[in-house]
Amino acid sequence: MLNIKENISLKPFNTFGIEAYGTYFVEINSIDDFLLLLKTDIYINNLKLIIGGGSNILFTKDFNGLVIKNNLKGIELINETTDEVIIKAAAGENWHEFVQWSIKNNFCGLENLSLIPGCVGASPMQNIGAYGVEIKDVFYELEAIHTITGEKKTFKKDDCAFGYRESVFKTKYKNQFLITSVSFKLSKHQNLNTSYGAINTELEAMGINKPTVKDVSKAVINIRQSKLPDPKITGNAGSFFKNAEVSKEKYESLKSQFEEIVSYSLPNGNFKLAAGWLIEQCGLKGFEKNGAAVHAKQALVLINKNNCTGTAVFELSDYVLQKVFDKFGVILEREVNII
Ligand code: FAD
Ligand code: EPU
């Protein structure tokens, strides 16, 4: 049964905790719900915004259209060999709960992605990543429905053009598909990835020298909780900007001026710069304006410190962009979806 509501506050539906109103709002609990919705006048005649957990969205104004909250549920084992399983999770499943489910079943591959907020359906949108793993590393396929024709389509990994915080769903197919499920290929063996330095340090601090999949998850959770704000307490959407990619020449010129610059070399010869470091060097850690602030423990994260507006967060992000450009000549790119 479709229940299209009118003039709904979107504050509970975005982790920034920003007040904004949606002209129409509907939750879909089945694929049939969505196919039914496609035929309604409200759907046909309005702008649409699909949301999961609202943890990568900044509302800078009311949304004059139809907000569709994806609530599709279910986790299914669809294939199993001696070494691997394919697990299909519906788009509305909570990401972290799904990761914990896979760990409980001793399936390996998602543990480094513990505690990322949001839903499974959004995970391919920006190819979520953390602590040395991106979902492209374990992605098998996804199912989606075209938002105009209602046609069902399966996307294999090669169809998704996954990159750093990128996919085809943010570019060529922007707003064209509702993702209904994502399938992952997980290992039945303990193929752990602890290459990200902080994980090993944390495991050591936990007194663990032969980690299990559960230990790695716990280490990642501990690291995250030590620096990232909990959206239930402080509104935020994780990293507001992407780390910046620069050419070798630009990197070398910066390195000669700023010896301590935090960087990683990339396979294409370019360098990735830790944007959090750039922002911190501009003296902006903890900087606050109109209730929006740069998080004091992680400068890449902007927070709703004091019941601010989305515009205040956006203006702060402009200010940060300008300061980083003035000091380093590096243009940061926003990671969060601005509405
Ligand atoms: P939403 O914010 O609801 O939507 C994000 C985008 O996806 C929107 O454009 C929306 O239209 C679209 N979308 C959502 N669901 C669907 C669907 N079913 N079909 C089609 N389009 C859809 N991200 C990382 O990559 N790594 C991290 O380590 C990380 N850490 C974070 C930490 C914190 C504290 C927070 C608040 C956020 C963090 N994020 C991180 C960002 C965010 O959690 C992820 O991007 C997450 O995948 C967003 O999921 P969501 O369901 O909340 O998406
Ligand atoms: N740093 C600083 N000051 C800061 C923040 C970072 O100097 O205020 C430096 C530190 O040297 C640190 C390095 O930057 O060692 C990297 O910091 P961190 O490990 O916290 O990771 P990040 O590059 O800031 C990225 C992702 C996160 C992800 C973590 C862990 C992006 C945009 N962000 O952050 O993802 O959880 O790595 O892998 O790539 C998100 O996308 O929302 C997100 C939180």
Side-chain angles (χ1 to χ4, degrees):
M1 243 310 263
L2 285 178
N3 179 10
I4 303 182
K5 298 174 185 164
E6 288 184 35
N7 203 26
I8 286 289
S9 165
L10 301 172
K11 194 170 175 174
F13 300 103
N14 72 96
T15 61
F16 253 120
I18 298 289
E19 187 62 282
Y21 280 76
T23 320
Y24 301 103
F25 180 90
V26 68
E27 300 196 28
I28 54 160
N29 298 301
S30 67
I31 290 179
D32 284 348
D33 272 359
F34 186 60
L35 295 176
L36 209 65
L37 182 68
L38 276 178
K39 299 196 180 106
T40 62
D41 287 346
I42 289 179
Y43 184 94
I44 293 165
N45 298 325
N46 282 281
L47 280 176
K48 270 85 58 184
L49 172 67
I50 299 163
I51 58 165
S55 64
N56 208 20
I57 286 179
L58 175 69
F59 288 108
T60 55
K61 53 183 178 304
D62 291 339
F63 184 72
N64 292 320
L66 170 64
V67 177
I68 303 165
K69 165 119 178 70
N70 187 323
N71 263 347
L72 307 181
K73 296 283 190 239
I75 299 177
E76 246 182 291
L77 187 152
I78 57 171
N79 195 31
E80 180 165 13
T81 64
T82 28
D83 300 321
E84 286 171 342
V85 285
I86 310 277
I87 307 291
K88 175 170 156 178
E93 287 288 341
N94 174 278
W95 175 262
H96 180 63
E97 284 168 18
F98 170 57
V99 172
Q100 293 308 304
W101 177 92
S102 77
I103 290 166
K104 214 174 263 165
N105 285 282
N106 254 317
F107 301 144
C108 185
L110 297 173
E111 55 284 356
N112 295 44
L113 302 173
S114 296
L115 212 64
I116 298 181
C119 294
V120 166
S123 64
M125 295 295 297
Q126 67 160 8
N127 176 30
I128 56 168
Y131 301 97
V133 173
E134 292 180 325
I135 69 144
K136 72 167 172 46
D137 304 325
V138 281
F139 180 90
Y140 180 66
E141 64 180 28
L142 67 78
E143 292 173 337
I145 301 179
H146 196 274
T147 49
I148 294 172
T149 64
E151 200 183 323
K152 292 183 185 165
K153 190 167 157 56
T154 299
F155 290 82
K156 295 284 183 191
K157 195 194 286 192
D158 285 349
D159 303 324
C160 296
F162 287 129
Y164 166 61
R165 299 295 189 272
E166 275 303 338
S167 80
V168 80
F169 303 103
K170 279 179 79 177
T171 51
K172 184 170 144 196
Y173 293 139
K174 194 172 164 67
N175 298 329
Q176 288 188 36
F177 286 94
L178 171 94
I179 296 169
T180 55
S181 72
V182 188
S183 301
F184 300 91
K185 189 187 266 194
L186 305 177
S187 173
K188 288 164 82 175
H189 307 292
Q190 303 272 305
N191 296 328
L192 302 172
N193 178 344
T194 56
S195 60
Y196 205 93
I199 297 184
N200 280 322
T201 313
E202 181 59 29
L203 285 168
E204 254 171 57
M206 289 161 62
I208 288 164
N209 50 25
K210 274 199 181 145
T212 61
V213 65
K214 201 170 168 197
D215 296 327
V216 173
S217 168
K218 185 69 186 116
V220 167
I221 291 172
N222 289 350
I223 302 166
R224 294 181 69 94
Q225 285 177 335
S226 72
K227 51 180 155 183
L228 292 170
D230 178 351
K232 286 198 197 94
I233 299 165
T234 306
N236 77 96
S239 302
F240 200 88
F241 306 96
K242 294 182 186 182
N243 285 322
E245 183 172 336
V246 296
S247 68
K248 188 165 184 276
E249 294 69 38
K250 175 72 184 172
Y251 163 73
E252 278 167 356
S253 134
L254 285 170
K255 179 84 182 159
S256 65
Q257 284 171 273
F258 307 96
E259 213 189 313
E260 305 289 307
I261 194 162
V262 180
S263 63
Y264 323 88
S265 60
L266 295 172
N268 65 4
N270 287 345
F271 282 77
K272 198 181 261 188
L273 306 178
W277 186 87
L278 300 177
I279 298 169
E280 183 173 351
Q281 295 306 307
C282 293
L284 291 172
K285 234 176 178 178
F287 177 81
E288 182 181 346
K289 201 172 177 206
N290 297 326
V294 177
H295 187 44
K297 291 186 191 164
Q298 225 294 2
L300 204 46
V301 177
L302 301 188
I303 60 172
N304 176 354
K305 188 163 182 197
N306 194 7
N307 208 15
C308 70
T309 61
T311 309
V313 178
F314 189 78
E315 284 173 2
L316 175 63
S317 73
D318 260 347
Y319 184 76
V320 170
L321 282 173
Q322 190 62 51
K323 287 282 174 194
V324 168
F325 181 74
D326 292 347
K327 189 169 174 80
F328 299 104
V330 172
I331 302 173
L332 295 183
E333 200 186 317
R334 292 181 181 88
E335 187 210 87
V336 172
N337 298 282
I338 311 296
I339 310 289

